[in-house]
């Protein structure tokens, strides 16, 4: 049965009983999902084997039929994996493609597999299994990214760089501390992934079309066989629910947003103007016209994938928002969004992990930039509060005048003479110069979670014990 063949005019062998003729070609085109849901073949077969095994255990089908079914399904699995399986658009989706092939392979026993189930709970099962596995992969990928950052943070716990607010130099921080900010972000993403796995860890199979079934099935048995904690509790919700897909996309969107912010920083840091990092050849490209260029394409594409992933979330939210309970065919549009977002996210995390591991950190450039832009002004103000007893608001004002004077002289705060500083406030002594270096500034910020190297090393150790 080739796709789109003239056979499309005969009625469907799976549900065609009440149909005199088959679907119009356009109907077939809009209706078929096999083009993308064939990705669910392994989950579909696994689900069917669990279902058939349970049916036989409950005496709903015979043991011989169950054996034939399981054997046939395993044959189909190897046919698909070897590329020998011929998918047919006429058979709409993965569920009916597998079942039709099963009928060819084992004859009438195949017709017993669909007892006490519907494609509605079948697709909910297959897709949930797929998303759960994808989340498990995401968890691993995030762990590798966090590990890459922990290594860089450890290496650069003492490397001073400018910290920014509004992308204006704010206060000196360490590169290790900046790396650890991303560890926190990706750590939160990973804990969202773990929670989502827990939320979705319920088996849909056995909800049937929407109302459950009169056959004496054992949903606890299938749930266990398929690695779920327990069965879902409401058959109507079960076939209507795509929260697991929406949760995946929400988590993916937030993680992608983090990746995109990092990508943006990498783009900025790798410009000749900043020069904070050099990307490896392996994660950059050249220009076909400008020989001097080394472009951060991977970072730019990670930034762009975020748009795609966010788009998938909005698309599925929009598909779901008007649907009455229970199943509607609209829900078939869930898969491509999730597949596309999953592929983009996997690639973006992997590319980022490579970039972070490989990039050269230019500590000299970071330090030089950290010292410019009057980044230790807050340290001067704090010193005035601590040593000269000024209220912070007054200290802020005095420091502002010192910055204005340095600006006027074209030098840094630490280059002003003691006489210059005393002309602004006579309480200032030579000891003030101890706090005006970037190293002293950073070392002084020992508050919990602060940028002092000793504090950053504590946070690295905390994460190492949890990664
Ligand atoms: N291909 C369908 C989907 O992805 C499978 C479920 C079809 N159910 C139905 N009642 N037509 O949602």
């Amino acid at each position: 049965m080739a796709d789109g063949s003239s056979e499309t005019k005969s009625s469907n062998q799976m549900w065609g009983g009440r149909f005199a003729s088959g679907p119009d070609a356009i109907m077939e085109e809009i209706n078929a999902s096999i083009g993308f849901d064939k990705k669910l073949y392994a989950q579909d077969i696994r689900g069917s084997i669990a279902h058939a095994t349970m049916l036989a255990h409950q005496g709903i089908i015979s043991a011989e039929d169950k054996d034939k079914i399981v054997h046939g399904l395993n044959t189909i699995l190897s046919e698909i994996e070897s590329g020998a399986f011929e998918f047919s658009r006429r058979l709409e989706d993965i569920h009916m493609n597998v079942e039709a092939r099963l009928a060819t392979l084992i004859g009438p026993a195949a017709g017993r597999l669909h007892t006490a189930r519907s494609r509605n709970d079948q697709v909910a099962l297959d897709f949930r299994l797929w998303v759960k596995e994808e989340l498990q992969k995401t968890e691993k990928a995030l762990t590798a990214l966090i590990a890459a950052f922990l290594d860089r943070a450890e290496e650069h716990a003492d490397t001073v760089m400018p910290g920014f607010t509004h992308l204006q130099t704010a206060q000196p921080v360490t590169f290790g501390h900046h790396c650890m900010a991303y560890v926190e972000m990706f750590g939160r993403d990973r804990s969202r992934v773990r929670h989502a796995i827990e939320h979705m860890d319920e088996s849909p199979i056995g909800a049937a079309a929407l109302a459950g079934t009169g056959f004496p099935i054992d949903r606890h048995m299938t749930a266990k066989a398929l690695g779920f904690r327990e069965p879902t509790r409401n058959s109507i919700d079960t076939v209507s629910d795509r929260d697991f897909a929406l949760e995946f996309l929400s988590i993916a969107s937030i993680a992608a947003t983090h990746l995109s912010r990092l990508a943006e920083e990498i783009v900025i840091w790798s410009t000749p103007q900043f020069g904070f990092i050099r990307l490896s050849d392996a994660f950059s490209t050249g220009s076909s016209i400008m020989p001097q260029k080394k472009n951060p394409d991977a970072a730019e594409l990670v930034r762009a994938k975020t748009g795609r992933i966010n788009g998938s979330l909005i698309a599925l939210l929009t598909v779901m928002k008007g649907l009455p309970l229970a199943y509607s065919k609209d829900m078939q549009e869930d898969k491509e969004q999730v597949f596309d977002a999953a592929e983009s996210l996997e690639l973006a995390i992997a590319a980022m992990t490579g970039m972070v591991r490989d990039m050269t950190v230019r500590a000299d450039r970071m330090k030089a930039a950290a010292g410019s832009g009057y980044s230790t002004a807050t340290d001067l103000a704090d010193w005035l509060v601590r040593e000269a007893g000024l209220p912070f608001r007054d200290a802020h004002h005095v420091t502002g005048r010192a910055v204005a004077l340095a600006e006027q002289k074209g030098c840094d705060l630490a280059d002003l003479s003691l006489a210059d500083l005393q002309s602004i406030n006579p309480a200032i002594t030579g000891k003030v110069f101890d706090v005006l270096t970037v190293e002293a500034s950073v070392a002084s910020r020992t508050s919990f979670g602060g940028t002092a190297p000793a504090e950053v090393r504590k946070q690295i150790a905390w994460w190492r014990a949890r990664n």
Side-chain angles (χ1 to χ4, degrees):
M1 282 168 267
D3 286 359
S5 73
S6 55
E7 287 169 86
T8 52
K9 286 292 168 195
S10 58
S11 74
N12 188 292
Q13 68 183 96
M14 296 293 150
W15 43 250
R18 62 162 295 182
F19 286 77
S21 80
D24 186 89
I26 296 294
M27 176 60 206
E28 188 182 291
E29 193 175 342
I30 196 172
N31 199 35
S33 54
I34 188 63
F36 48 86
D37 69 14
K38 58 175 144 199
K39 237 189 167 74
L40 300 175
Y41 74 90
Q43 290 76 14
D44 194 71
I45 290 172
R46 197 145 41 100
S48 288
I49 290 176
H51 182 66
T53 307
M54 179 279 293
L55 290 178
H57 184 263
Q58 298 298 103
I60 301 167
I61 64 171
S62 70
E64 301 83 77
D65 282 348
K66 183 263 288 178
D67 289 342
K68 279 190 207 160
I69 289 170
V70 171
H71 186 260
L73 287 169
N74 280 321
T75 306
I76 294 170
L77 182 65
S78 20
E79 285 177 355
I80 295 177
E81 288 184 336
S82 72
F85 192 93
E86 251 189 76
F87 291 100
S88 160
R89 199 176 75 179
R90 220 188 119 221
L91 291 164
E92 276 184 46
D93 56 26
I94 185 64
H95 324 296
M96 298 208 293
N97 268 267
V98 169
E99 204 187 316
R101 177 68 185 143
L102 189 64
T104 312
L105 285 174
I106 68 165
R112 301 199 182 275
L113 171 60
H114 213 54
T115 313
R117 85 172 178 188
S118 147
R119 276 189 295 154
N120 297 349
D121 57 340
Q122 195 178 353
V123 73
L125 168 68
D126 296 0
F127 197 28
R128 202 183 272 239
L129 282 172
W130 192 93
V131 171
K132 192 176 152 190
E133 282 162 35
E134 189 59 31
L135 281 168
Q136 285 158 345
K137 278 194 225 163
T138 309
E139 186 184 357
K140 283 209 184 79
L142 287 169
T143 298
L145 177 56
I146 290 169
F149 265 121
L150 287 173
D151 288 348
R152 298 319 303 254
E154 191 135 44
E155 201 185 317
H156 291 284
D158 297 291
T159 302
V160 179
M161 72 180 277
F164 300 94
T165 61
H166 315 267
L167 197 57
Q168 306 287 325
T169 301
Q171 293 172 346
V173 295
T174 65
F175 185 62
H177 194 214
H178 199 100
C179 287
M180 291 306 290
Y182 282 104
V183 167
E184 294 289 334
M185 291 150 84
F186 295 122
R188 285 194 297 274
D189 291 328
R190 190 176 56 180
S191 81
R192 270 186 280 275
V193 165
R194 289 173 179 161
H195 283 133
I197 292 173
E198 250 182 80
H199 278 160
M200 71 177 60
D201 209 8
E202 298 176 348
S203 172
I205 195 73
L210 80 163
T213 175
F215 290 101
I217 59 170
D218 183 349
R219 295 193 58 210
H220 293 273
M221 181 179 171
T222 40
K224 194 161 173 232
L226 292 164
F228 288 108
R229 190 180 56 232
E230 59 197 331
T232 54
R233 288 190 161 67
N234 181 297
S235 60
I236 297 174
D237 175 52
T238 301
V239 295
S240 314
D241 169 37
R242 289 296 180 271
D243 287 5
F244 60 93
L246 289 171
E247 249 184 280
F248 172 76
L249 291 172
S250 314
I251 292 167
S253 296
I254 298 174
T257 299
H258 294 154
L259 289 165
S260 186
R261 295 180 78 172
L262 172 58
E264 171 70 4
E265 296 208 307
I266 287 177
V267 169
I268 293 172
W269 292 344
S270 62
T271 56
Q273 289 75 10
F274 267 76
F276 284 8
I277 58 163
R278 213 179 285 117
L279 287 173
S280 68
D281 288 356
F283 282 99
S284 34
T285 56
S287 155
S288 55
I289 176 168
M290 296 164 282
Q292 84 284 9
K293 298 246 338 223
K294 196 164 173 187
N295 293 329
D297 293 38
E300 293 166 281
L301 287 164
V302 167
R303 196 171 55 184
K305 297 271 184 218
T306 308
R308 237 169 119 143
I309 295 171
N310 292 351
S312 297
L313 171 63
I314 299 302
L316 187 56
L317 283 169
T318 311
V319 165
M320 296 305 295
K321 70 173 264 303
L323 300 186
L325 308 188
Y327 178 85
S328 297
K329 194 64 173 256
D330 310 50
M331 288 158 74
Q332 178 166 285
E333 292 283 320
D334 55 2
K335 288 165 211 66
E336 284 166 293
Q337 301 302 337
V338 170
F339 292 157
D340 187 78
E343 194 182 321
S344 299
L345 184 66
E346 259 184 55
L347 201 52
I349 298 176
M352 238 352 148
T353 307
M355 271 184 275
V356 169
R357 282 215 174 280
D358 279 16
M359 69 190 181
T360 306
V361 175
R362 301 178 67 189
D364 54 327
R365 298 274 312 188
M366 287 186 179
K367 187 178 166 186
S372 68
Y374 311 108
S375 65
T376 55
T378 316
D379 298 274
L380 173 54
D382 286 349
W383 186 90
L384 288 164
V385 170
R386 225 173 29 242
E387 307 294 327
L390 266 63
F392 184 78
R393 279 292 152 227
D394 298 347
H396 186 285
H397 186 77
V398 168
T399 306
R401 288 184 52 207
V403 169
L405 182 61
E407 206 164 38
Q408 188 194 321
K409 295 198 162 193
C411 68
D412 281 331
L413 276 178
D415 303 326
L416 288 173
S417 68
L418 182 59
D420 284 338
L421 290 167
Q422 285 177 335
S423 75
I424 297 165
N425 190 296
I428 297 176
T429 71
K431 281 219 192 110
V432 77
F433 292 103
D434 293 346
V435 304
L436 295 183
T437 67
V438 288
E439 285 82 4
S441 165
V442 154
S444 73
R445 297 213 150 66
T446 52
S447 55
F448 185 84
T451 202
E455 187 55 34
V456 171
R457 288 200 170 88
K458 268 189 228 158
Q459 304 305 340
I460 295 172
W462 191 91
W463 275 102
R464 285 240 189 255
R466 286 160 183 79
N467 198 46

